[in-house]
Amino acid sequence: NMYTIYHNPRCSKSRQTLAIMNENNVVVKIINYLADPPTTEELEDISEKLAIPPMCFIRKKESVFTDLGLKSYDGTDSELCEIMSKNPKLIERPIVVKGDRAIIGRPPENVLELF
């Protein structure tokens, strides 16, 4: 079963998570999610695998979070996934998916739970 990492090469946590995966010789598909954002459906799927709502893996310190008025968001999780898909900067990083499970690499060692 393959691992997928939603990766931002400029993020140290993302690079560290990928390094741990490489050290453990796992086959990993790297998705640079800023260039190739997950769809609304993929984000809903990731939310399910993380077992947390989308608002819990959104980057609240990004200016776009405030600009879009998300501090007082009261829409559906599905609509929030759509907003995140259109504004991938909002997506927390890195997210690693394997099968029906996913983790956020904060700290990067979290990825060890998937091995």
Side-chain angles (χ1 to χ4, degrees), residues 62-112:
E62 294 289 338
S63 57
V64 65
F65 181 81
T66 310
D67 295 347
L68 292 172
L70 295 177
K71 280 183 177 161
S72 54
Y73 182 77
D74 61 359
T76 66
D77 284 353
S78 183
E79 288 164 334
L80 190 56
C81 286
E82 189 177 344
I83 291 167
M84 290 163 80
S85 177
K86 288 179 178 153
N87 301 276
K89 268 188 184 172
L90 287 170
I91 302 168
E92 187 55 278
R93 60 187 182 237
I95 295 172
V96 180
V97 179
K98 180 178 192 272
D100 59 359
R101 296 175 58 213
I103 60 93
I104 296 171
R106 290 179 176 271
E109 293 72 30
N110 282 354
V111 75
L112 296 170

mmCIF file of all heavy atoms in Angstrom, residues 62-112:
data_model
loop_
_atom_site.group_PDB
_atom_site.id
_atom_site.type_symbol
_atom_site.label_atom_id
_atom_site.label_comp_id
_atom_site.label_asym_id
_atom_site.label_seq_id
_atom_site.Cartn_x
_atom_site.Cartn_y
_atom_site.Cartn_z
ATOM 1 N N GLU A 62 -2.633 32.007 8.090
ATOM 2 C CA GLU A 62 -2.492 32.534 6.725
ATOM 3 C C GLU A 62 -3.410 33.745 6.553
ATOM 4 O O GLU A 62 -4.559 33.725 7.011
ATOM 5 C CB GLU A 62 -2.861 31.453 5.695
ATOM 6 C CG GLU A 62 -1.933 30.253 5.663
ATOM 7 C CD GLU A 62 -0.560 30.568 5.089
ATOM 8 O OE1 GLU A 62 -0.436 31.564 4.339
ATOM 9 O OE2 GLU A 62 0.378 29.817 5.393
ATOM 10 N N SER A 63 -2.900 34.767 5.848
ATOM 11 C CA SER A 63 -3.716 35.979 5.660
ATOM 12 C C SER A 63 -5.012 35.667 4.913
ATOM 13 O O SER A 63 -6.043 36.281 5.172
ATOM 14 C CB SER A 63 -2.922 37.053 4.925
ATOM 15 O OG SER A 63 -2.457 36.551 3.691
ATOM 16 N N VAL A 64 -4.961 34.681 4.018
ATOM 17 C CA VAL A 64 -6.160 34.334 3.240
ATOM 18 C C VAL A 64 -7.274 33.812 4.163
ATOM 19 O O VAL A 64 -8.463 33.977 3.876
ATOM 20 C CB VAL A 64 -5.823 33.342 2.090
ATOM 21 C CG1 VAL A 64 -5.362 31.991 2.607
ATOM 22 C CG2 VAL A 64 -6.988 33.175 1.138
ATOM 23 N N PHE A 65 -6.913 33.227 5.305
ATOM 24 C CA PHE A 65 -7.907 32.750 6.280
ATOM 25 C C PHE A 65 -8.752 33.926 6.775
ATOM 26 O O PHE A 65 -9.985 33.870 6.797
ATOM 27 C CB PHE A 65 -7.203 32.057 7.456
ATOM 28 C CG PHE A 65 -8.146 31.518 8.506
ATOM 29 C CD1 PHE A 65 -8.778 30.295 8.328
ATOM 30 C CD2 PHE A 65 -8.400 32.229 9.674
ATOM 31 C CE1 PHE A 65 -9.652 29.796 9.291
ATOM 32 C CE2 PHE A 65 -9.274 31.735 10.640
ATOM 33 C CZ PHE A 65 -9.897 30.516 10.445
ATOM 34 N N THR A 66 -8.060 35.008 7.128
ATOM 35 C CA THR A 66 -8.725 36.222 7.596
ATOM 36 C C THR A 66 -9.444 36.926 6.441
ATOM 37 O O THR A 66 -10.600 37.334 6.566
ATOM 38 C CB THR A 66 -7.693 37.179 8.226
ATOM 39 O OG1 THR A 66 -6.919 36.431 9.170
ATOM 40 C CG2 THR A 66 -8.372 38.330 8.948
ATOM 41 N N ASP A 67 -8.743 37.018 5.296
ATOM 42 C CA ASP A 67 -9.305 37.714 4.126
ATOM 43 C C ASP A 67 -10.634 37.108 3.687
ATOM 44 O O ASP A 67 -11.534 37.821 3.239
ATOM 45 C CB ASP A 67 -8.328 37.678 2.950
ATOM 46 C CG ASP A 67 -7.037 38.448 3.240
ATOM 47 O OD1 ASP A 67 -7.010 39.211 4.236
ATOM 48 O OD2 ASP A 67 -6.059 38.273 2.489
ATOM 49 N N LEU A 68 -10.749 35.787 3.809
ATOM 50 C CA LEU A 68 -11.975 35.106 3.372
ATOM 51 C C LEU A 68 -13.044 35.079 4.468
ATOM 52 O O LEU A 68 -14.109 34.501 4.286
ATOM 53 C CB LEU A 68 -11.659 33.673 2.920
ATOM 54 C CG LEU A 68 -10.842 33.535 1.635
ATOM 55 C CD1 LEU A 68 -10.435 32.089 1.409
ATOM 56 C CD2 LEU A 68 -11.618 34.060 0.426
ATOM 57 N N GLY A 69 -12.740 35.716 5.609
ATOM 58 C CA GLY A 69 -13.721 35.780 6.691
ATOM 59 C C GLY A 69 -13.959 34.441 7.372
ATOM 60 O O GLY A 69 -15.044 34.185 7.901
ATOM 61 N N LEU A 70 -12.951 33.573 7.365
ATOM 62 C CA LEU A 70 -13.153 32.225 7.895
ATOM 63 C C LEU A 70 -13.131 32.165 9.425
ATOM 64 O O LEU A 70 -13.474 31.136 10.007
ATOM 65 C CB LEU A 70 -12.099 31.265 7.310
ATOM 66 C CG LEU A 70 -12.205 31.057 5.790
ATOM 67 C CD1 LEU A 70 -11.085 30.145 5.303
ATOM 68 C CD2 LEU A 70 -13.565 30.476 5.400
ATOM 69 N N LYS A 71 -12.759 33.271 10.077
ATOM 70 C CA LYS A 71 -12.778 33.285 11.546
ATOM 71 C C LYS A 71 -14.189 33.065 12.067
ATOM 72 O O LYS A 71 -14.390 32.499 13.129
ATOM 73 C CB LYS A 71 -12.237 34.622 12.080
ATOM 74 C CG LYS A 71 -10.724 34.666 12.063
ATOM 75 C CD LYS A 71 -10.190 35.965 12.653
ATOM 76 C CE LYS A 71 -8.668 35.941 12.680
ATOM 77 N NZ LYS A 71 -8.072 37.259 12.809
ATOM 78 N N SER A 72 -15.161 33.539 11.309
ATOM 79 C CA SER A 72 -16.561 33.381 11.743
ATOM 80 C C SER A 72 -17.317 32.450 10.785
ATOM 81 O O SER A 72 -18.509 32.600 10.560
ATOM 82 C CB SER A 72 -17.239 34.743 11.800
ATOM 83 O OG SER A 72 -17.089 35.418 10.556
ATOM 84 N N TYR A 73 -16.601 31.467 10.227
ATOM 85 C CA TYR A 73 -17.193 30.542 9.246
ATOM 86 C C TYR A 73 -18.298 29.710 9.876
ATOM 87 O O TYR A 73 -18.119 29.139 10.951
ATOM 88 C CB TYR A 73 -16.097 29.618 8.688
ATOM 89 C CG TYR A 73 -16.611 28.660 7.640
ATOM 90 C CD1 TYR A 73 -16.858 29.094 6.343
ATOM 91 C CD2 TYR A 73 -16.861 27.326 7.948
ATOM 92 C CE1 TYR A 73 -17.333 28.231 5.372
ATOM 93 C CE2 TYR A 73 -17.335 26.444 6.991
ATOM 94 C CZ TYR A 73 -17.572 26.907 5.704
ATOM 95 O OH TYR A 73 -18.047 26.043 4.743
ATOM 96 N N ASP A 74 -19.426 29.633 9.208
ATOM 97 C CA ASP A 74 -20.496 28.774 9.726
ATOM 98 C C ASP A 74 -21.132 27.915 8.629
ATOM 99 O O ASP A 74 -22.251 27.443 8.761
ATOM 100 C CB ASP A 74 -21.558 29.605 10.465
ATOM 101 C CG ASP A 74 -22.234 30.626 9.553
ATOM 102 O OD1 ASP A 74 -21.867 30.700 8.360
ATOM 103 O OD2 ASP A 74 -23.139 31.342 10.026
ATOM 104 N N GLY A 75 -20.379 27.707 7.537
ATOM 105 C CA GLY A 75 -20.870 26.860 6.454
ATOM 106 C C GLY A 75 -20.602 25.387 6.731
ATOM 107 O O GLY A 75 -20.202 25.013 7.832
ATOM 108 N N THR A 76 -20.789 24.567 5.708
ATOM 109 C CA THR A 76 -20.602 23.121 5.872
ATOM 110 C C THR A 76 -19.131 22.741 5.715
ATOM 111 O O THR A 76 -18.332 23.504 5.153
ATOM 112 C CB THR A 76 -21.408 22.339 4.816
ATOM 113 O OG1 THR A 76 -20.847 22.624 3.514
ATOM 114 C CG2 THR A 76 -22.881 22.709 4.833
ATOM 115 N N ASP A 77 -18.789 21.545 6.182
ATOM 116 C CA ASP A 77 -17.435 21.016 6.002
ATOM 117 C C ASP A 77 -17.121 20.871 4.509
ATOM 118 O O ASP A 77 -16.005 21.138 4.070
ATOM 119 C CB ASP A 77 -17.296 19.646 6.685
ATOM 120 C CG ASP A 77 -17.175 19.778 8.205
ATOM 121 O OD1 ASP A 77 -17.058 20.925 8.695
ATOM 122 O OD2 ASP A 77 -17.200 18.743 8.876
ATOM 123 N N SER A 78 -18.112 20.453 3.755
ATOM 124 C CA SER A 78 -17.933 20.268 2.318
ATOM 125 C C SER A 78 -17.581 21.590 1.629
ATOM 126 O O SER A 78 -16.670 21.649 0.792
ATOM 127 C CB SER A 78 -19.204 19.667 1.720
ATOM 128 O OG SER A 78 -19.021 19.425 0.361
ATOM 129 N N GLU A 79 -18.284 22.644 1.995
ATOM 130 C CA GLU A 79 -18.000 23.968 1.424
ATOM 131 C C GLU A 79 -16.618 24.451 1.850
ATOM 132 O O GLU A 79 -15.913 25.090 1.071
ATOM 133 C CB GLU A 79 -19.072 24.976 1.865
ATOM 134 C CG GLU A 79 -20.413 24.761 1.185
ATOM 135 C CD GLU A 79 -21.565 25.504 1.893
ATOM 136 O OE1 GLU A 79 -21.484 25.764 3.100
ATOM 137 O OE2 GLU A 79 -22.556 25.802 1.198
ATOM 138 N N LEU A 80 -16.233 24.133 3.080
ATOM 139 C CA LEU A 80 -14.915 24.530 3.564
ATOM 140 C C LEU A 80 -13.828 23.797 2.776
ATOM 141 O O LEU A 80 -12.807 24.387 2.412
ATOM 142 C CB LEU A 80 -14.776 24.259 5.062
ATOM 143 C CG LEU A 80 -13.536 24.849 5.730
ATOM 144 C CD1 LEU A 80 -13.438 26.360 5.508
ATOM 145 C CD2 LEU A 80 -13.516 24.535 7.224
ATOM 146 N N CYS A 81 -14.057 22.522 2.468
ATOM 147 C CA CYS A 81 -13.112 21.757 1.650
ATOM 148 C C CYS A 81 -12.965 22.393 0.266
ATOM 149 O O CYS A 81 -11.868 22.437 -0.287
ATOM 150 C CB CYS A 81 -13.553 20.295 1.520
ATOM 151 S SG CYS A 81 -13.281 19.326 3.021
ATOM 152 N N GLU A 82 -14.058 22.891 -0.267
ATOM 153 C CA GLU A 82 -14.022 23.559 -1.572
ATOM 154 C C GLU A 82 -13.171 24.830 -1.502
ATOM 155 O O GLU A 82 -12.354 25.101 -2.384
ATOM 156 C CB GLU A 82 -15.446 23.881 -2.033
ATOM 157 C CG GLU A 82 -15.494 24.373 -3.460
ATOM 158 C CD GLU A 82 -16.909 24.637 -3.959
ATOM 159 O OE1 GLU A 82 -17.879 24.157 -3.323
ATOM 160 O OE2 GLU A 82 -17.034 25.337 -4.972
ATOM 161 N N ILE A 83 -13.349 25.604 -0.425
ATOM 162 C CA ILE A 83 -12.557 26.828 -0.220
ATOM 163 C C ILE A 83 -11.070 26.475 -0.107
ATOM 164 O O ILE A 83 -10.208 27.134 -0.685
ATOM 165 C CB ILE A 83 -13.043 27.588 1.045
ATOM 166 C CG1 ILE A 83 -14.446 28.167 0.809
ATOM 167 C CG2 ILE A 83 -12.060 28.705 1.424
ATOM 168 C CD1 ILE A 83 -15.156 28.656 2.071
ATOM 169 N N MET A 84 -10.762 25.386 0.616
ATOM 170 C CA MET A 84 -9.376 24.955 0.798
ATOM 171 C C MET A 84 -8.767 24.480 -0.523
ATOM 172 O O MET A 84 -7.607 24.734 -0.810
ATOM 173 C CB MET A 84 -9.303 23.854 1.859
ATOM 174 C CG MET A 84 -9.590 24.376 3.267
ATOM 175 S SD MET A 84 -9.989 23.066 4.458
ATOM 176 C CE MET A 84 -8.345 22.444 4.861
ATOM 177 N N SER A 85 -9.575 23.809 -1.326
ATOM 178 C CA SER A 85 -9.104 23.342 -2.629
ATOM 179 C C SER A 85 -8.744 24.519 -3.537
ATOM 180 O O SER A 85 -7.741 24.486 -4.255
ATOM 181 C CB SER A 85 -10.176 22.474 -3.292
ATOM 182 O OG SER A 85 -9.755 22.071 -4.577
ATOM 183 N N LYS A 86 -9.554 25.580 -3.459
ATOM 184 C CA LYS A 86 -9.314 26.773 -4.276
ATOM 185 C C LYS A 86 -8.205 27.658 -3.709
ATOM 186 O O LYS A 86 -7.651 28.488 -4.416
ATOM 187 C CB LYS A 86 -10.601 27.592 -4.399
ATOM 188 C CG LYS A 86 -11.636 26.944 -5.293
ATOM 189 C CD LYS A 86 -12.902 27.773 -5.361
ATOM 190 C CE LYS A 86 -13.916 27.142 -6.300
ATOM 191 N NZ LYS A 86 -15.301 27.501 -5.921
ATOM 192 N N ASN A 87 -7.915 27.493 -2.411
ATOM 193 C CA ASN A 87 -6.891 28.284 -1.723
ATOM 194 C C ASN A 87 -5.963 27.342 -0.963
ATOM 195 O O ASN A 87 -5.987 27.291 0.274
ATOM 196 C CB ASN A 87 -7.550 29.265 -0.744
ATOM 197 C CG ASN A 87 -8.520 30.220 -1.422
ATOM 198 O OD1 ASN A 87 -8.117 31.245 -1.960
ATOM 199 N ND2 ASN A 87 -9.790 29.878 -1.415
ATOM 200 N N PRO A 88 -5.146 26.576 -1.698
ATOM 201 C CA PRO A 88 -4.385 25.493 -1.053
ATOM 202 C C PRO A 88 -3.404 25.946 0.028
ATOM 203 O O PRO A 88 -2.991 25.137 0.854
ATOM 204 C CB PRO A 88 -3.662 24.804 -2.214
ATOM 205 C CG PRO A 88 -3.704 25.772 -3.342
ATOM 206 C CD PRO A 88 -4.940 26.601 -3.150
ATOM 207 N N LYS A 89 -3.085 27.247 0.063
ATOM 208 C CA LYS A 89 -2.248 27.763 1.156
ATOM 209 C C LYS A 89 -2.881 27.487 2.510
ATOM 210 O O LYS A 89 -2.195 27.452 3.534
ATOM 211 C CB LYS A 89 -2.081 29.284 1.026
ATOM 212 C CG LYS A 89 -0.872 29.705 0.246
ATOM 213 C CD LYS A 89 -0.709 31.215 0.352
ATOM 214 C CE LYS A 89 0.443 31.690 -0.511
ATOM 215 N NZ LYS A 89 0.496 33.145 -0.570
ATOM 216 N N LEU A 90 -4.208 27.329 2.518
ATOM 217 C CA LEU A 90 -4.939 27.102 3.771
ATOM 218 C C LEU A 90 -4.735 25.695 4.333
ATOM 219 O O LEU A 90 -5.059 25.434 5.482
ATOM 220 C CB LEU A 90 -6.442 27.313 3.543
ATOM 221 C CG LEU A 90 -6.911 28.748 3.355
ATOM 222 C CD1 LEU A 90 -8.370 28.771 2.900
ATOM 223 C CD2 LEU A 90 -6.750 29.542 4.639
ATOM 224 N N ILE A 91 -4.238 24.787 3.499
ATOM 225 C CA ILE A 91 -4.144 23.388 3.928
ATOM 226 C C ILE A 91 -2.898 23.184 4.801
ATOM 227 O O ILE A 91 -1.789 23.547 4.400
ATOM 228 C CB ILE A 91 -4.092 22.450 2.699
ATOM 229 C CG1 ILE A 91 -5.337 22.658 1.814
ATOM 230 C CG2 ILE A 91 -3.985 20.986 3.147
ATOM 231 C CD1 ILE A 91 -5.250 21.988 0.444
ATOM 232 N N GLU A 92 -3.109 22.602 5.980
ATOM 233 C CA GLU A 92 -1.988 22.306 6.879
ATOM 234 C C GLU A 92 -1.045 21.326 6.185
ATOM 235 O O GLU A 92 -1.460 20.539 5.344
ATOM 236 C CB GLU A 92 -2.530 21.713 8.193
ATOM 237 C CG GLU A 92 -1.479 21.516 9.267
ATOM 238 C CD GLU A 92 -0.695 22.780 9.588
ATOM 239 O OE1 GLU A 92 0.261 23.114 8.863
ATOM 240 O OE2 GLU A 92 -1.039 23.434 10.579
ATOM 241 N N ARG A 93 0.225 21.406 6.559
ATOM 242 C CA ARG A 93 1.219 20.570 5.906
ATOM 243 C C ARG A 93 2.195 20.016 6.917
ATOM 244 O O ARG A 93 2.396 20.641 7.970
ATOM 245 C CB ARG A 93 1.957 21.404 4.867
ATOM 246 C CG ARG A 93 2.661 22.608 5.510
ATOM 247 C CD ARG A 93 3.258 23.531 4.488
ATOM 248 N NE ARG A 93 3.957 24.626 5.149
ATOM 249 C CZ ARG A 93 3.692 25.904 4.967
ATOM 250 N NH1 ARG A 93 2.716 26.278 4.171
ATOM 251 N NH2 ARG A 93 4.406 26.823 5.585
ATOM 252 N N PRO A 94 2.798 18.903 6.608
ATOM 253 C CA PRO A 94 2.417 17.993 5.525
ATOM 254 C C PRO A 94 1.327 17.035 6.011
ATOM 255 O O PRO A 94 1.208 16.773 7.209
ATOM 256 C CB PRO A 94 3.717 17.225 5.291
ATOM 257 C CG PRO A 94 4.315 17.121 6.671
ATOM 258 C CD PRO A 94 3.950 18.406 7.372
ATOM 259 N N ILE A 95 0.555 16.523 5.072
ATOM 260 C CA ILE A 95 -0.401 15.464 5.384
ATOM 261 C C ILE A 95 0.089 14.211 4.663
ATOM 262 O O ILE A 95 0.439 14.269 3.480
ATOM 263 C CB ILE A 95 -1.827 15.830 4.923
ATOM 264 C CG1 ILE A 95 -2.340 17.033 5.720
ATOM 265 C CG2 ILE A 95 -2.774 14.629 5.087
ATOM 266 C CD1 ILE A 95 -3.666 17.603 5.230
ATOM 267 N N VAL A 96 0.142 13.112 5.397
ATOM 268 C CA VAL A 96 0.540 11.836 4.808
ATOM 269 C C VAL A 96 -0.649 10.881 4.903
ATOM 270 O O VAL A 96 -1.256 10.742 5.960
ATOM 271 C CB VAL A 96 1.759 11.215 5.521
ATOM 272 C CG1 VAL A 96 2.141 9.877 4.880
ATOM 273 C CG2 VAL A 96 2.955 12.172 5.485
ATOM 274 N N VAL A 97 -0.962 10.249 3.772
ATOM 275 C CA VAL A 97 -2.084 9.314 3.696
ATOM 276 C C VAL A 97 -1.555 7.927 3.361
ATOM 277 O O VAL A 97 -0.687 7.775 2.490
ATOM 278 C CB VAL A 97 -3.097 9.752 2.601
ATOM 279 C CG1 VAL A 97 -4.252 8.767 2.511
ATOM 280 C CG2 VAL A 97 -3.616 11.157 2.872
ATOM 281 N N LYS A 98 -2.083 6.931 4.066
ATOM 282 C CA LYS A 98 -1.825 5.536 3.701
ATOM 283 C C LYS A 98 -3.102 4.754 3.929
ATOM 284 O O LYS A 98 -3.605 4.692 5.050
ATOM 285 C CB LYS A 98 -0.703 4.935 4.530
ATOM 286 C CG LYS A 98 -0.448 3.472 4.123
ATOM 287 C CD LYS A 98 0.702 2.842 4.878
ATOM 288 C CE LYS A 98 1.102 1.527 4.238
ATOM 289 N NZ LYS A 98 0.314 0.411 4.775
ATOM 290 N N GLY A 99 -3.615 4.158 2.857
ATOM 291 C CA GLY A 99 -4.852 3.387 2.972
ATOM 292 C C GLY A 99 -5.971 4.245 3.505
ATOM 293 O O GLY A 99 -6.251 5.316 2.979
ATOM 294 N N ASP A 100 -6.577 3.800 4.616
ATOM 295 C CA ASP A 100 -7.717 4.549 5.158
ATOM 296 C C ASP A 100 -7.313 5.425 6.338
ATOM 297 O O ASP A 100 -8.152 5.867 7.113
ATOM 298 C CB ASP A 100 -8.853 3.596 5.553
ATOM 299 C CG ASP A 100 -8.429 2.571 6.599
ATOM 300 O OD1 ASP A 100 -7.239 2.590 7.007
ATOM 301 O OD2 ASP A 100 -9.271 1.751 6.996
ATOM 302 N N ARG A 101 -5.997 5.671 6.484
ATOM 303 C CA ARG A 101 -5.509 6.501 7.591
ATOM 304 C C ARG A 101 -4.668 7.653 7.066
ATOM 305 O O ARG A 101 -4.074 7.564 6.005
ATOM 306 C CB ARG A 101 -4.668 5.651 8.555
ATOM 307 C CG ARG A 101 -5.478 4.565 9.242
ATOM 308 C CD ARG A 101 -4.596 3.678 10.098
ATOM 309 N NE ARG A 101 -3.891 4.463 11.113
ATOM 310 C CZ ARG A 101 -2.673 4.155 11.554
ATOM 311 N NH1 ARG A 101 -2.015 3.123 11.075
ATOM 312 N NH2 ARG A 101 -2.098 4.899 12.486
ATOM 313 N N ALA A 102 -4.609 8.716 7.868
ATOM 314 C CA ALA A 102 -3.774 9.860 7.514
ATOM 315 C C ALA A 102 -3.282 10.520 8.791
ATOM 316 O O ALA A 102 -3.904 10.386 9.849
ATOM 317 C CB ALA A 102 -4.566 10.861 6.672
ATOM 318 N N ILE A 103 -2.160 11.211 8.679
ATOM 319 C CA ILE A 103 -1.615 11.976 9.809
ATOM 320 C C ILE A 103 -1.168 13.342 9.299
ATOM 321 O O ILE A 103 -0.955 13.537 8.103
ATOM 322 C CB ILE A 103 -0.418 11.273 10.514
ATOM 323 C CG1 ILE A 103 0.753 11.045 9.542
ATOM 324 C CG2 ILE A 103 -0.855 9.968 11.167
ATOM 325 C CD1 ILE A 103 1.797 12.141 9.518
ATOM 326 N N ILE A 104 -0.998 14.256 10.240
ATOM 327 C CA ILE A 104 -0.357 15.542 9.951
ATOM 328 C C ILE A 104 1.034 15.474 10.560
ATOM 329 O O ILE A 104 1.186 15.107 11.725
ATOM 330 C CB ILE A 104 -1.166 16.709 10.560
ATOM 331 C CG1 ILE A 104 -2.550 16.791 9.891
ATOM 332 C CG2 ILE A 104 -0.406 18.035 10.386
ATOM 333 C CD1 ILE A 104 -3.509 17.762 10.559
ATOM 334 N N GLY A 105 2.057 15.801 9.770
ATOM 335 C CA GLY A 105 3.441 15.692 10.229
ATOM 336 C C GLY A 105 3.877 16.857 11.097
ATOM 337 O O GLY A 105 4.850 17.534 10.804
ATOM 338 N N ARG A 106 3.150 17.084 12.149
ATOM 339 C CA ARG A 106 3.472 18.117 13.144
ATOM 340 C C ARG A 106 3.302 17.499 14.517
ATOM 341 O O ARG A 106 2.188 17.461 15.000
ATOM 342 C CB ARG A 106 2.554 19.342 12.982
ATOM 343 C CG ARG A 106 2.888 20.091 11.730
ATOM 344 C CD ARG A 106 2.023 21.293 11.471
ATOM 345 N NE ARG A 106 2.542 21.935 10.274
ATOM 346 C CZ ARG A 106 3.491 22.867 10.268
ATOM 347 N NH1 ARG A 106 4.004 23.296 11.387
ATOM 348 N NH2 ARG A 106 3.923 23.375 9.145
ATOM 349 N N PRO A 107 4.331 16.938 15.107
ATOM 350 C CA PRO A 107 5.719 16.893 14.636
ATOM 351 C C PRO A 107 5.906 15.835 13.538
ATOM 352 O O PRO A 107 5.075 14.935 13.412
ATOM 353 C CB PRO A 107 6.494 16.497 15.900
ATOM 354 C CG PRO A 107 5.521 15.661 16.676
ATOM 355 C CD PRO A 107 4.168 16.285 16.420
ATOM 356 N N PRO A 108 6.995 15.926 12.764
ATOM 357 C CA PRO A 108 7.244 14.993 11.674
ATOM 358 C C PRO A 108 7.207 13.519 12.101
ATOM 359 O O PRO A 108 6.798 12.659 11.328
ATOM 360 C CB PRO A 108 8.637 15.384 11.178
ATOM 361 C CG PRO A 108 8.734 16.846 11.496
ATOM 362 C CD PRO A 108 8.006 17.009 12.805
ATOM 363 N N GLU A 109 7.583 13.245 13.355
ATOM 364 C CA GLU A 109 7.600 11.863 13.866
ATOM 365 C C GLU A 109 6.216 11.211 13.848
ATOM 366 O O GLU A 109 6.106 9.987 13.923
ATOM 367 C CB GLU A 109 8.149 11.822 15.302
ATOM 368 C CG GLU A 109 9.619 12.175 15.433
ATOM 369 C CD GLU A 109 9.912 13.665 15.214
ATOM 370 O OE1 GLU A 109 9.041 14.512 15.508
ATOM 371 O OE2 GLU A 109 11.019 13.977 14.726
ATOM 372 N N ASN A 110 5.162 12.011 13.751
ATOM 373 C CA ASN A 110 3.809 11.447 13.662
ATOM 374 C C ASN A 110 3.706 10.415 12.550
ATOM 375 O O ASN A 110 2.909 9.488 12.640
ATOM 376 C CB ASN A 110 2.771 12.550 13.378
ATOM 377 C CG ASN A 110 2.414 13.354 14.608
ATOM 378 O OD1 ASN A 110 2.853 13.042 15.718
ATOM 379 N ND2 ASN A 110 1.632 14.410 14.429
ATOM 380 N N VAL A 111 4.499 10.588 11.494
ATOM 381 C CA VAL A 111 4.400 9.697 10.337
ATOM 382 C C VAL A 111 4.739 8.255 10.709
ATOM 383 O O VAL A 111 4.261 7.311 10.084
ATOM 384 C CB VAL A 111 5.284 10.202 9.158
ATOM 385 C CG1 VAL A 111 6.769 9.944 9.405
ATOM 386 C CG2 VAL A 111 4.840 9.565 7.846
ATOM 387 N N LEU A 112 5.511 8.063 11.769
ATOM 388 C CA LEU A 112 5.890 6.718 12.195
ATOM 389 C C LEU A 112 4.660 5.884 12.564
ATOM 390 O O LEU A 112 4.694 4.655 12.454
ATOM 391 C CB LEU A 112 6.866 6.782 13.381
ATOM 392 C CG LEU A 112 8.225 7.449 13.067
ATOM 393 C CD1 LEU A 112 9.010 7.685 14.345
ATOM 394 C CD2 LEU A 112 9.040 6.640 12.067
#
